[in-house]
Amino acid sequence: GGAIGGRLVAGNTWRLRRTFTARERAQYERLAHERQMKGEAAGSRQSWTEAVRHYTAALGLLEGCGGDLADICDVRMHRSRALLRRDWTADAQIALWDCEFLLQNCTEVRTNVELRRIKCLKKLRLFQAAANACADFRERRGSSERLLKLEASIRSARQRRAREWHPDEDDDDDDEEEEMDEE
């Protein structure tokens, strides 16, 4: 762009992005790697909030300095797992965004990411989208034990959801009959 010492970058808004020297970029990448290692250590202790915090910081450092795509994919892969395990309200949506990014940009991690994406859809209660993703996965990669378990859990969750929204109508019929008998 026309900015001195930087370039314009499209996003939600146009903003000035600083140009990093090779030395600065290496420093940011080193810091990102340290944060990623701290995230992995936190994940091994099952401290998911701390892991997510470190992975998000590492991701910010890498994306901010124009880091290597393979490193960004690696951090997003770890963060999506930590987000699903932490299980806060918006975590499944953020993990889904990470999975979508990985599927579009990182070819070597596809199978695990596709299954994780299906888990995200299920957690978000997007059961039809999850079922469609299972069918797509089966068509492209065949069936697996992990896929079968995931499909069974989606069917079970769909049935529970249906019972929540449409409780047994026999109970209502009994109440109506009792009211008629009282009259």
Side-chain angles (χ1 to χ4, degrees):
I4 297 173
R7 59 193 163 129
L8 292 177
V9 179
N12 290 340
T13 61
W14 285 92
R15 67 185 187 279
L16 183 66
R17 178 177 280 178
R18 182 172 175 268
T19 302
F20 288 86
T21 65
R23 183 176 173 203
E24 289 172 324
R25 183 174 174 201
Q27 184 178 6
Y28 271 69
E29 288 175 341
R30 182 183 53 74
L31 291 171
H33 181 71
E34 289 174 8
R35 292 304 289 261
Q36 182 178 356
M37 292 299 106
K38 288 179 181 179
E40 290 175 13
S44 68
R45 295 189 312 272
Q46 295 184 353
S47 178
W48 303 118
T49 299
E50 183 182 350
V52 168
R53 186 171 36 89
H54 287 301
Y55 290 135
T56 301
L59 194 57
L61 288 165
L62 287 170
E63 290 179 341
C65 74
D68 185 51
L69 181 61
D71 293 337
I72 291 170
C73 289
D74 192 39
V75 173
R76 282 185 181 268
M77 180 72 165
H78 288 292
R79 185 174 77 163
S80 66
R81 185 195 66 189
L83 284 162
L84 282 177
R85 296 218 171 133
R86 183 174 72 171
D87 199 26
W88 286 6
T89 302
D91 285 351
Q93 182 64 57
I94 298 167
L96 179 62
W97 291 334
D98 280 348
C99 290
E100 296 291 344
F101 177 91
L102 290 165
L103 290 171
Q104 291 175 8
N105 297 289
C106 312
T107 57
E108 65 276 353
V109 294
R110 287 199 83 73
T111 300
N112 287 335
V113 173
E114 286 184 63
L115 292 172
R116 188 168 296 152
R117 179 179 172 271
I118 294 168
K119 288 179 185 177
C120 292
L121 292 168
K122 178 187 167 232
K123 279 194 176 246
L124 292 168
R125 296 180 148 210
L126 300 172
F127 300 125
Q128 188 59 51
N132 292 345
C134 286
D136 291 344
F137 183 91
R138 173 177 279 114
E139 189 175 301
R140 281 184 280 98
R141 300 194 185 273
S143 188
S144 70
E145 185 176 329
R146 288 173 64 191
L147 180 65
L148 292 173
K149 286 181 180 178
L150 200 47
E151 286 177 316
S153 72
I154 291 167
R155 275 193 303 275
S156 174
R158 276 180 111 165
Q159 290 169 351
R160 277 193 309 273
R161 178 80 182 255
R163 283 192 301 270
E164 288 173 13
W165 284 94
H166 305 287
D168 231 348
E169 294 188 30
D170 291 337
D171 295 338
D172 292 339
D173 291 342
D174 292 340
D175 293 339
E176 290 174 13
E177 288 175 14
E178 288 176 13
E179 288 175 12
M180 291 175 70
D181 289 339
E182 290 175 4
E183 292 177 4

